[in-house]
Structures are given as C-alpha cells and as structure tokens.
Amino acid sequence: MLRLAVFVSGGGTNLQALIDQIEQGKLSDVSIEVVISSKSDAYALERAKKHGIPAVAVTKKDYPDPALFTQELLKYLEKFRVDLIVLAGYLLIVPQAIVRKYHNRIINIHPSLIPSFSGAGFYGLKVHQAVLERGVKITGATVHFVDEGTDTGPIILQKPVAVLEEDTPKSLQRRVMEEAEWDLLPEAVRLISQKRITVEGNIVRIHDIPLQS
Ligand code: GRF
C-alpha cells in the first residue's frame, strides 16, 4: 500500500480527484493517510473530513519558527508512516530538511508546461494570467518531483491544453484543471504505486512493467 500525505492550501480539487479515483477503485494500493493544509480555512480540509481522512492545518501563523514548523510537519509524516508526499495546490515552500529526507518522494502538480510559466511567483491564477498575456497557443499541466528549487525537479508527466481566444484566467484555470491536472496527478501516483518510475539525474523514465524494488 502506498501511503500518501496530501499537502493543500486551497479548494482541494486535485485532492478530490485523488479521493474519487481511490474510491472508484482506479487507484488500488494507494491510501491517503493524512491531509495537511497551510491554511486553517482551506476548503480542502472539508473535503478530507467528508471522506473520513485525518486533516490538519500546520500554518506559519501557528508555527512562525521555521524549525518548529518543520518539526510539526515531520511529526505527522512519521506518525502516519507516509511513503509519498503529494503537493496539491500547496502554496508554501517545503522545508529543505523534508525535501532531503523525502528525496524523489515528493510530487507537485503545476498548472503550466514547465519550464514555461513556472518558478517563483508563478502560482494559481497568476500562471494563467501570464499565459494569456504572452499569447501562447498551448498551455497545460505538469507533475514533477520536488527538489530544493521552485518547480525545478524532474518532470514525470505533462499534458497540453489549448488556449482559446475567449479565455480569461479563470476559464483557462478551470479547463487546465479539468482536462489536465485531475488526470495527471492520479496517473503519476498510480505509476509510483506500481513501481514503474525511475529517475536518472533530471530524467524520469516510465517503465511498462514494475521494477523489482
Ligand atoms: C491548481 O491550479 C493547481 O495546479 C495549483 O494550485 C491550484 C489549486 O488547486 N498547484 P486545488 O483546487 O486546491 O487542488
């Protein structure tokens, strides 16, 4: 069983996609053990509670000291014996100690085709605003491993989404979620649970059959 911690900050639609696929039996051998939010009012916490998933807020407000903030996150990761951390709309930088401890065991969903429109300052609607301002014709979403940079880890999966003339940042965000994010994130978790992914430097290889661990 691949035991997940899902880190959230907002609405939790990517969390919901994972919950739905697990409950529909499309993600066997995967369980969401805990949902951890950086915001105490994130609707994602409600989604978790509705499905009986332990849900906690670990906020900078409650833990302004970086070392205590890191310690609190690690407490939950160890308590729930987490194998893979999934960042699903998480807006904080994961503490370096955790990125190192969970090397190639943290994945993130980003709402663009990395390296375009990624890195510091590119999150949420800002990504889609920049896409429309640049006038690109194709955008999409990316799932990648998290390293010590921002949106710089090895890319696991990407999916394109066409930009329409009538798009607003809101309409584009919604379509990128519907057509790309909500498929890609569960698919990446599935591949990892099936032990079909290896990472060689910056390159992720997806294998047809499970690798002997
Ligand atoms: C999504 O656009 C996701 O790509 C980004 O955060 C946004 C919020 O997603 N990482 P969610 O509805 O909270 O899952």
Side-chain angles (χ1 to χ4, degrees):
M1 183 65 80
L2 185 73
R3 301 165 66 91
L4 308 185
V6 182
F7 285 25
V8 297
S9 297
T13 64
N14 280 285
L15 167 66
Q16 191 66 53
L18 289 168
I19 291 170
D20 292 348
Q21 290 219 14
I22 289 171
E23 293 190 347
Q24 291 159 12
K26 296 180 189 166
L27 259 184
S28 51
D29 295 334
V30 175
S31 67
I32 301 174
E33 296 297 321
V34 62
V35 171
I36 299 176
S37 177
S38 65
K39 298 231 176 82
S40 48
D41 61 350
Y43 186 64
L45 290 169
E46 296 310 310
R47 293 181 190 269
K49 288 169 188 164
K50 271 188 201 154
H51 292 269
I53 300 168
V56 294
V58 178
T59 70
K60 286 283 189 192
K61 184 163 164 281
D62 295 340
Y63 299 92
D65 176 298
L68 294 178
F69 179 75
T70 301
Q71 188 182 303
E72 190 66 8
L73 289 177
L74 281 171
K75 182 186 83 175
Y76 287 111
L77 293 172
E78 284 150 18
K79 175 183 176 184
F80 287 96
R81 292 182 288 116
V82 169
D83 300 307
L84 180 72
I85 299 170
V86 180
L87 308 186
Y90 189 65
L91 293 177
L92 297 183
I93 299 295
V94 178
Q96 186 184 61
I98 294 178
V99 172
R100 289 185 175 173
K101 178 174 181 178
Y102 289 83
H103 179 62
N104 286 341
R105 291 200 292 145
I106 309 175
I107 64 174
N108 179 48
I109 176 85
H110 181 77
S112 76
L113 295 176
I114 288 174
S116 299
F117 308 105
S118 66
F122 284 105
Y123 57 88
L125 273 180
K126 290 172 186 257
V127 172
H128 306 290
Q129 212 135 5
V131 162
L132 294 173
E133 281 162 12
R134 184 63 185 83
V136 297
K137 303 307 174 187
I138 298 287
T139 186
T142 303
V143 183
H144 63 95
F145 284 109
V146 171
D147 63 9
E148 296 183 38
T150 303
D151 302 330
T152 52
I155 291 172
I156 302 169
L157 294 170
Q158 295 190 296
K159 189 170 183 183
V161 174
V163 181
L164 306 179
E165 276 187 22
E166 64 272 21
D167 265 328
T168 63
K170 263 294 196 205
S171 68
L172 186 53
Q173 178 181 55
R174 184 76 194 176
R175 197 164 65 256
V176 168
M177 284 177 168
E178 286 170 348
E179 295 183 8
E181 296 180 38
W182 299 343
D183 292 337
L184 282 189
L185 194 58
E187 178 59 14
V189 170
R190 182 180 299 108
L191 289 168
I192 293 169
S193 74
Q194 294 170 345
K195 298 185 173 38
R196 289 175 50 199
I197 280 186
T198 55
V199 188
E200 294 146 38
N202 224 11
I203 308 299
V204 172
R205 296 205 187 291
I206 297 174
H207 303 266
D208 291 338
I209 54 168
L211 296 149
Q212 300 313 318
S213 52

Short mmCIF file of all heavy atoms in Angstrom, two decimals, residues 83-118:
data_model
loop_
_atom_site.label_atom_id
_atom_site.label_comp_id
_atom_site.label_asym_id
_atom_site.label_seq_id
_atom_site.Cartn_x
_atom_site.Cartn_y
_atom_site.Cartn_z
N ASP A 83 4.65 7.40 2.72
CA ASP A 83 5.64 6.99 1.70
C ASP A 83 5.87 8.10 0.67
O ASP A 83 6.98 8.31 0.19
CB ASP A 83 5.11 5.76 0.93
CG ASP A 83 4.86 4.58 1.84
OD1 ASP A 83 5.78 4.21 2.59
OD2 ASP A 83 3.72 4.04 1.83
N LEU A 84 4.74 8.79 0.29
CA LEU A 84 4.83 9.79 -0.78
C LEU A 84 4.07 11.04 -0.35
O LEU A 84 2.92 10.94 0.11
CB LEU A 84 4.21 9.23 -2.07
CG LEU A 84 4.20 10.15 -3.29
CD1 LEU A 84 5.63 10.31 -3.87
CD2 LEU A 84 3.26 9.60 -4.37
N ILE A 85 4.70 12.19 -0.50
CA ILE A 85 4.04 13.47 -0.22
C ILE A 85 3.55 14.03 -1.56
O ILE A 85 4.33 14.11 -2.53
CB ILE A 85 5.02 14.46 0.44
CG1 ILE A 85 5.53 13.91 1.78
CG2 ILE A 85 4.36 15.83 0.62
CD1 ILE A 85 6.67 14.72 2.38
N VAL A 86 2.26 14.39 -1.63
CA VAL A 86 1.69 14.96 -2.85
C VAL A 86 1.31 16.41 -2.58
O VAL A 86 0.45 16.68 -1.73
CB VAL A 86 0.43 14.17 -3.28
CG1 VAL A 86 -0.17 14.77 -4.56
CG2 VAL A 86 0.78 12.69 -3.51
N LEU A 87 1.96 17.33 -3.29
CA LEU A 87 1.60 18.75 -3.15
C LEU A 87 0.48 19.05 -4.15
O LEU A 87 0.67 18.89 -5.36
CB LEU A 87 2.81 19.65 -3.45
CG LEU A 87 4.11 19.35 -2.69
CD1 LEU A 87 5.15 20.43 -2.99
CD2 LEU A 87 3.87 19.24 -1.19
N ALA A 88 -0.69 19.41 -3.62
CA ALA A 88 -1.87 19.64 -4.47
C ALA A 88 -2.42 21.02 -4.17
O ALA A 88 -3.32 21.19 -3.35
CB ALA A 88 -2.91 18.56 -4.18
N GLY A 89 -1.81 22.01 -4.80
CA GLY A 89 -2.23 23.39 -4.54
C GLY A 89 -1.59 23.94 -3.27
O GLY A 89 -2.11 24.84 -2.65
N TYR A 90 -0.47 23.36 -2.87
CA TYR A 90 0.23 23.79 -1.64
C TYR A 90 1.06 25.01 -1.97
O TYR A 90 1.86 24.97 -2.92
CB TYR A 90 1.12 22.66 -1.13
CG TYR A 90 1.72 22.88 0.25
CD1 TYR A 90 0.91 22.96 1.38
CD2 TYR A 90 3.11 23.00 0.42
CE1 TYR A 90 1.46 23.14 2.65
CE2 TYR A 90 3.66 23.19 1.68
CZ TYR A 90 2.83 23.26 2.80
OH TYR A 90 3.38 23.44 4.05
N LEU A 91 0.88 26.09 -1.19
CA LEU A 91 1.48 27.36 -1.59
C LEU A 91 2.76 27.72 -0.84
O LEU A 91 3.36 28.76 -1.09
CB LEU A 91 0.45 28.49 -1.44
CG LEU A 91 -0.73 28.41 -2.41
CD1 LEU A 91 -1.74 29.52 -2.14
CD2 LEU A 91 -0.26 28.45 -3.86
N LEU A 92 3.17 26.87 0.09
CA LEU A 92 4.42 27.16 0.80
C LEU A 92 5.57 26.36 0.19
O LEU A 92 5.36 25.35 -0.47
CB LEU A 92 4.28 26.80 2.29
CG LEU A 92 3.25 27.58 3.10
CD1 LEU A 92 3.31 27.14 4.57
CD2 LEU A 92 3.48 29.08 2.98
N ILE A 93 6.78 26.81 0.45
CA ILE A 93 7.97 26.06 0.04
C ILE A 93 8.17 24.94 1.06
O ILE A 93 8.15 25.20 2.28
CB ILE A 93 9.22 26.98 0.02
CG1 ILE A 93 9.01 28.12 -0.99
CG2 ILE A 93 10.49 26.20 -0.31
CD1 ILE A 93 8.92 27.68 -2.44
N VAL A 94 8.33 23.72 0.62
CA VAL A 94 8.56 22.60 1.54
C VAL A 94 9.93 22.77 2.19
O VAL A 94 10.92 22.99 1.49
CB VAL A 94 8.47 21.26 0.78
CG1 VAL A 94 8.76 20.09 1.72
CG2 VAL A 94 7.10 21.10 0.12
N PRO A 95 10.00 22.70 3.51
CA PRO A 95 11.30 22.87 4.19
C PRO A 95 12.37 21.94 3.62
O PRO A 95 12.11 20.77 3.32
CB PRO A 95 10.98 22.53 5.65
CG PRO A 95 9.53 22.87 5.80
CD PRO A 95 8.90 22.50 4.48
N GLN A 96 13.58 22.47 3.51
CA GLN A 96 14.70 21.74 2.89
C GLN A 96 14.93 20.39 3.58
O GLN A 96 15.16 19.38 2.90
CB GLN A 96 15.97 22.60 3.00
CG GLN A 96 17.19 22.03 2.28
CD GLN A 96 18.42 22.89 2.53
OE1 GLN A 96 18.85 23.05 3.68
NE2 GLN A 96 18.96 23.46 1.46
N ALA A 97 14.81 20.34 4.89
CA ALA A 97 15.05 19.08 5.63
C ALA A 97 14.08 18.00 5.16
O ALA A 97 14.44 16.82 5.05
CB ALA A 97 14.89 19.32 7.12
N ILE A 98 12.86 18.39 4.82
CA ILE A 98 11.86 17.42 4.36
C ILE A 98 12.13 17.02 2.92
O ILE A 98 12.06 15.84 2.56
CB ILE A 98 10.44 17.98 4.55
CG1 ILE A 98 10.14 18.15 6.04
CG2 ILE A 98 9.39 17.08 3.88
CD1 ILE A 98 8.79 18.75 6.38
N VAL A 99 12.51 18.01 2.08
CA VAL A 99 12.83 17.69 0.68
C VAL A 99 13.98 16.70 0.63
O VAL A 99 13.99 15.75 -0.15
CB VAL A 99 13.19 18.98 -0.10
CG1 VAL A 99 13.71 18.64 -1.50
CG2 VAL A 99 11.99 19.91 -0.18
N ARG A 100 14.96 16.88 1.51
CA ARG A 100 16.12 15.97 1.53
C ARG A 100 15.73 14.60 2.06
O ARG A 100 16.10 13.57 1.52
CB ARG A 100 17.24 16.59 2.37
CG ARG A 100 17.85 17.78 1.65
CD ARG A 100 19.05 18.38 2.36
NE ARG A 100 19.66 19.45 1.52
CZ ARG A 100 20.64 20.24 1.95
NH1 ARG A 100 21.12 20.08 3.18
NH2 ARG A 100 21.12 21.18 1.16
N LYS A 101 14.94 14.60 3.14
CA LYS A 101 14.56 13.31 3.74
C LYS A 101 13.68 12.49 2.80
O LYS A 101 13.75 11.27 2.73
CB LYS A 101 13.82 13.55 5.07
CG LYS A 101 13.37 12.27 5.73
CD LYS A 101 12.77 12.48 7.10
CE LYS A 101 12.39 11.10 7.68
NZ LYS A 101 11.83 11.21 9.04
N TYR A 102 12.82 13.19 2.03
CA TYR A 102 11.89 12.54 1.10
C TYR A 102 12.35 12.76 -0.34
O TYR A 102 11.57 13.13 -1.22
CB TYR A 102 10.47 13.05 1.32
CG TYR A 102 9.87 12.57 2.63
CD1 TYR A 102 10.16 13.23 3.82
CD2 TYR A 102 9.08 11.42 2.68
CE1 TYR A 102 9.65 12.78 5.03
CE2 TYR A 102 8.55 10.96 3.89
CZ TYR A 102 8.86 11.66 5.06
OH TYR A 102 8.36 11.19 6.26
N HIS A 103 13.63 12.52 -0.60
CA HIS A 103 14.20 12.72 -1.94
C HIS A 103 13.48 11.83 -2.96
O HIS A 103 13.34 10.63 -2.77
CB HIS A 103 15.69 12.35 -1.90
CG HIS A 103 16.35 12.49 -3.24
ND1 HIS A 103 16.45 13.72 -3.90
CD2 HIS A 103 16.92 11.58 -4.06
CE1 HIS A 103 17.07 13.53 -5.06
NE2 HIS A 103 17.37 12.25 -5.18
N ASN A 104 12.98 12.48 -4.04
CA ASN A 104 12.19 11.76 -5.04
C ASN A 104 10.99 11.03 -4.45
O ASN A 104 10.55 10.00 -4.97
CB ASN A 104 13.06 10.80 -5.86
CG ASN A 104 13.94 11.56 -6.84
OD1 ASN A 104 13.63 12.73 -7.14
ND2 ASN A 104 14.99 10.94 -7.31
N ARG A 105 10.47 11.56 -3.35
CA ARG A 105 9.23 11.02 -2.75
C ARG A 105 8.25 12.15 -2.44
O ARG A 105 7.37 12.02 -1.59
CB ARG A 105 9.56 10.22 -1.48
CG ARG A 105 10.31 8.93 -1.79
CD ARG A 105 10.21 7.96 -0.63
NE ARG A 105 10.92 8.44 0.55
CZ ARG A 105 10.50 8.21 1.80
NH1 ARG A 105 9.35 7.59 2.00
NH2 ARG A 105 11.19 8.64 2.83
N ILE A 106 8.45 13.28 -3.16
CA ILE A 106 7.50 14.40 -3.09
C ILE A 106 7.16 14.78 -4.53
O ILE A 106 8.08 14.98 -5.34
CB ILE A 106 8.10 15.65 -2.39
CG1 ILE A 106 8.72 15.29 -1.04
CG2 ILE A 106 7.02 16.75 -2.23
CD1 ILE A 106 9.42 16.46 -0.35
N ILE A 107 5.86 14.85 -4.85
CA ILE A 107 5.49 15.29 -6.21
C ILE A 107 4.59 16.51 -6.13
O ILE A 107 3.92 16.73 -5.11
CB ILE A 107 4.80 14.15 -7.02
CG1 ILE A 107 3.47 13.75 -6.40
CG2 ILE A 107 5.73 12.96 -7.18
CD1 ILE A 107 2.70 12.72 -7.26
N ASN A 108 4.59 17.30 -7.20
CA ASN A 108 3.81 18.54 -7.23
C ASN A 108 3.09 18.64 -8.56
O ASN A 108 3.62 18.22 -9.59
CB ASN A 108 4.75 19.74 -7.07
CG ASN A 108 4.01 21.07 -7.12
OD1 ASN A 108 3.00 21.25 -6.46
ND2 ASN A 108 4.48 21.99 -7.96
N ILE A 109 1.88 19.20 -8.54
CA ILE A 109 1.14 19.48 -9.78
C ILE A 109 1.24 20.98 -10.03
O ILE A 109 0.95 21.79 -9.14
CB ILE A 109 -0.33 19.04 -9.69
CG1 ILE A 109 -1.10 19.43 -10.96
CG2 ILE A 109 -1.06 19.55 -8.46
CD1 ILE A 109 -0.98 18.43 -12.07
N HIS A 110 1.73 21.33 -11.24
CA HIS A 110 1.88 22.76 -11.57
C HIS A 110 1.02 23.04 -12.80
O HIS A 110 1.08 22.26 -13.77
CB HIS A 110 3.35 23.10 -11.82
CG HIS A 110 3.55 24.57 -12.13
ND1 HIS A 110 3.54 25.54 -11.16
CD2 HIS A 110 3.71 25.20 -13.32
CE1 HIS A 110 3.69 26.73 -11.74
NE2 HIS A 110 3.80 26.55 -13.04
N PRO A 111 0.29 24.15 -12.82
CA PRO A 111 -0.66 24.40 -13.91
C PRO A 111 -0.08 25.07 -15.15
O PRO A 111 -0.66 26.01 -15.70
CB PRO A 111 -1.71 25.31 -13.24
CG PRO A 111 -0.91 26.09 -12.25
CD PRO A 111 0.16 25.15 -11.75
N SER A 112 1.10 24.59 -15.60
CA SER A 112 1.64 25.03 -16.89
C SER A 112 2.57 23.93 -17.39
O SER A 112 2.81 22.95 -16.70
CB SER A 112 2.43 26.34 -16.76
OG SER A 112 3.72 26.08 -16.17
N LEU A 113 3.09 24.10 -18.62
CA LEU A 113 4.06 23.14 -19.17
C LEU A 113 5.45 23.63 -18.74
O LEU A 113 6.09 24.43 -19.43
CB LEU A 113 3.91 23.05 -20.70
CG LEU A 113 2.57 22.50 -21.19
CD1 LEU A 113 2.50 22.54 -22.72
CD2 LEU A 113 2.32 21.08 -20.68
N ILE A 114 5.93 23.14 -17.59
CA ILE A 114 7.25 23.54 -17.08
C ILE A 114 8.29 23.23 -18.16
O ILE A 114 8.17 22.21 -18.86
CB ILE A 114 7.54 22.74 -15.78
CG1 ILE A 114 6.64 23.26 -14.63
CG2 ILE A 114 9.01 22.83 -15.39
CD1 ILE A 114 6.75 22.46 -13.36
N PRO A 115 9.30 24.09 -18.45
CA PRO A 115 9.70 25.25 -17.63
C PRO A 115 8.97 26.56 -17.92
O PRO A 115 9.25 27.56 -17.27
CB PRO A 115 11.18 25.40 -17.98
CG PRO A 115 11.26 24.92 -19.40
CD PRO A 115 10.26 23.80 -19.51
N SER A 116 8.02 26.54 -18.86
CA SER A 116 7.30 27.81 -19.09
C SER A 116 6.43 28.17 -17.90
O SER A 116 5.81 27.29 -17.27
CB SER A 116 6.39 27.68 -20.32
OG SER A 116 7.17 27.39 -21.46
N PHE A 117 6.35 29.44 -17.61
CA PHE A 117 5.41 29.98 -16.60
C PHE A 117 5.51 29.22 -15.29
O PHE A 117 4.52 28.76 -14.71
CB PHE A 117 3.98 29.94 -17.16
CG PHE A 117 3.85 30.60 -18.50
CD1 PHE A 117 3.71 29.84 -19.66
CD2 PHE A 117 3.93 31.99 -18.61
CE1 PHE A 117 3.64 30.44 -20.91
CE2 PHE A 117 3.85 32.60 -19.87
CZ PHE A 117 3.70 31.83 -21.02
N SER A 118 6.74 29.05 -14.84
CA SER A 118 6.95 28.32 -13.57
C SER A 118 8.04 29.05 -12.77
O SER A 118 8.63 30.02 -13.23
CB SER A 118 7.41 26.89 -13.88
OG SER A 118 8.69 26.89 -14.49
#
